[in-house]
Each structure stands twice: as structure tokens, then as C-alpha cells.
Amino acid sequence: MKQRVMMVALFAVITSPVCAAKLSGPARILDGNTIEIEQSKLRLSGIEAPETDQICLDAHGRKWACGIAARDELIKHSNGRTWDCHITGGDEYGRSRGSCFIEGEDVNAWMVRSGWALSSGPYVIYEVVASKTCAGLWSGAFIAPWDWRRRNKGTIIIGASSVPIDARELLLGSALLSDPPSPECVIKGTLGSNGDRIYHLRGQLSYEQIDMTKPGERWLCS
């Protein structure tokens, strides 16, 4: 019995948050919820930022590259400072997952509170605050990041109370992604017959012929 108690106590120490893996250093911001520290990629857990090719509507109903904006706002907030990340697991893409802090501030919470990401976990209260103050994405109309990746005619549009009446047409229309969302995101990504992602760069023979309004096609920044 005594040996059993000691084994349970040892397991508790090994699996305690204090002993969880940590990653620290300056971060390279890849998108609104993915960073890289010392060549290790980490996905901020509990939040969903817009994709880099995602388009939203502003308070006046105009289209803007909200995915790029979310990434750039995180870059500005980071400002070259040291990140301290607590790794809690991994994902299907080989990235670590966890919560990160800059000088003691919870970055995951900051992204949601500032309106640049939605909560997919414990940050719902910050999402409520962002929506009430029309911060970031909430200043206009947008599609939840998890819906953007597989959007269709039935996709729900969310955002400010003054969402324009033509928001659905603007965000779900076939012409939405005919042009790149940003001058820096001009790589065309298509799916091959075997499911592989194929990258097409400007200047290649097939580049101009690719129809980016087809399902599965993505504008990529790198």
C-alpha cells in the first residue's frame, strides 16, 4: 500500500504543470495563432485567429485582409520581446500547443480580448468583452475561422450589430478570392489529385490560368 501511494505521488509530480515543457525566447509570428521559437512551431491553444487569406468587412462594409491584420497586430504587440510558453500537447501538423506569456501577460487572452481571435476554450469572457466594445474583427462582419476553412452558402456571418445587409454576398460570393487578400500573399495553393498541396508562383506558366474561386484553392503568403 505504501509503495502504491509513493507511485501515485511520483506520477503527480511528473505530470504537474510545474514540470510541463517550456519554450522561451523571441518569437517569429507566422499567423495570428502560430509562432516559432528556436525553429519550434507552437500553436496558441484555446484560440482561433483568422487565416492569413481570410477577408472580413470593416464597420463601413468594406473588405479588408483581417487575417494579415491579426498577424501584424500580434507582431506589434510582441515587439521583439521574449515569450515564455508552456507546452501542453501537440497537434496533427506536428506543432506544439500551449499558452504563452510576454512579461507575465497571457498572449492567448490578449488576442481574444483585443478582438483578433475567437475563443475555442477558456477565453470566452474575453470574447464577450471584445464583441461588446467592437474590437478588432468585431468592428464589422466576419466568418469564424473554423467556418472560413470550409465555408459554403449556409455559413453564418457574425460581427457587429450593424452588419451590412450584403455581408453574406460579399463574404461568400464566388468573386471574393479572385484577387489575393494582400500584396504579400500571392502564392496560389491548389490540391493535386492525390491530395497533395501544390504551390504556384507568379511567373510560372500555369499561374494565370488557375481559378482561385474553386473550392479548396487558397492564397498563401509563404
Side-chain angles (χ1 to χ4, degrees):
M1 181 65 180
K2 183 177 180 180
Q3 185 178 12
R4 177 184 173 84
V5 171
M6 291 179 64
M7 289 297 292
V8 171
L10 179 61
F11 178 78
V13 170
I14 293 174
T15 57
S16 68
V18 175
C19 296
K22 294 183 179 180
L23 190 63
S24 297
R28 185 166 75 95
I29 316 299
L30 304 179
D31 59 39
N33 47 218
T34 310
I35 66 168
E36 185 177 70
I37 299 177
E38 297 181 350
Q39 298 184 331
S40 295
K41 290 184 180 180
L42 183 141
R43 175 76 156 73
L44 301 180
S45 60
I47 72 171
E48 288 275 356
E51 299 286 340
T52 50
D53 66 341
Q54 187 162 343
I55 300 295
C56 299
L57 301 181
D58 65 16
H60 303 287
R62 296 174 300 208
K63 291 184 285 189
W64 63 296
C66 53
I68 295 296
R71 182 203 64 187
D72 291 348
E73 288 298 322
L74 184 53
I75 291 173
K76 286 194 292 184
H77 187 67
S78 175
N79 195 28
R81 295 180 291 173
T82 296
W83 289 52
D84 296 303
C85 300
H86 303 273
I87 299 173
T88 57
D91 66 11
E92 65 272 28
Y93 302 109
R95 302 172 298 188
S96 299
R97 295 183 71 93
S99 300
C100 294
F101 300 81
I102 299 177
E103 298 178 356
E105 179 186 44
D106 187 333
V107 179
N108 304 42
W110 180 85
M111 284 293 289
V112 178
R113 186 174 65 249
S114 301
W116 297 115
L118 299 187
S119 172
S120 60
Y123 303 103
V124 175
I125 185 62
Y126 298 115
E127 185 176 305
V128 173
V129 172
S131 65
K132 294 293 184 182
T133 57
C134 297
L137 307 175
W138 296 98
S139 63
F142 63 100
I143 296 170
W146 48 82
D147 287 334
W148 173 265
R149 294 188 285 267
R150 51 180 180 273
R151 61 193 180 279
N152 54 53
K153 293 182 179 180
T155 298
I156 297 174
I157 309 296
I158 58 178
S161 57
S162 57
V163 171
I165 58 174
D166 58 348
R168 178 169 295 278
E169 178 183 349
L170 292 172
L171 291 178
L172 295 174
S174 61
L176 175 66
L177 290 178
S178 57
D179 296 318
S182 167
E184 65 180 275
C185 301
V186 296
I187 300 171
K188 293 182 177 181
T190 62
L191 288 175
S193 57
N194 59 354
D196 290 342
R197 176 66 71 179
I198 303 172
Y199 301 93
H200 306 266
L201 306 179
R202 277 183 170 173
Q204 293 180 333
L205 293 177
S206 60
Y207 184 88
E208 297 298 337
Q209 282 70 48
I210 298 172
D211 181 4
M212 293 304 291
T213 64
K214 292 182 178 179
E217 316 295 56
R218 294 283 302 275
W219 287 104
L220 303 167
C221 305
S222 65

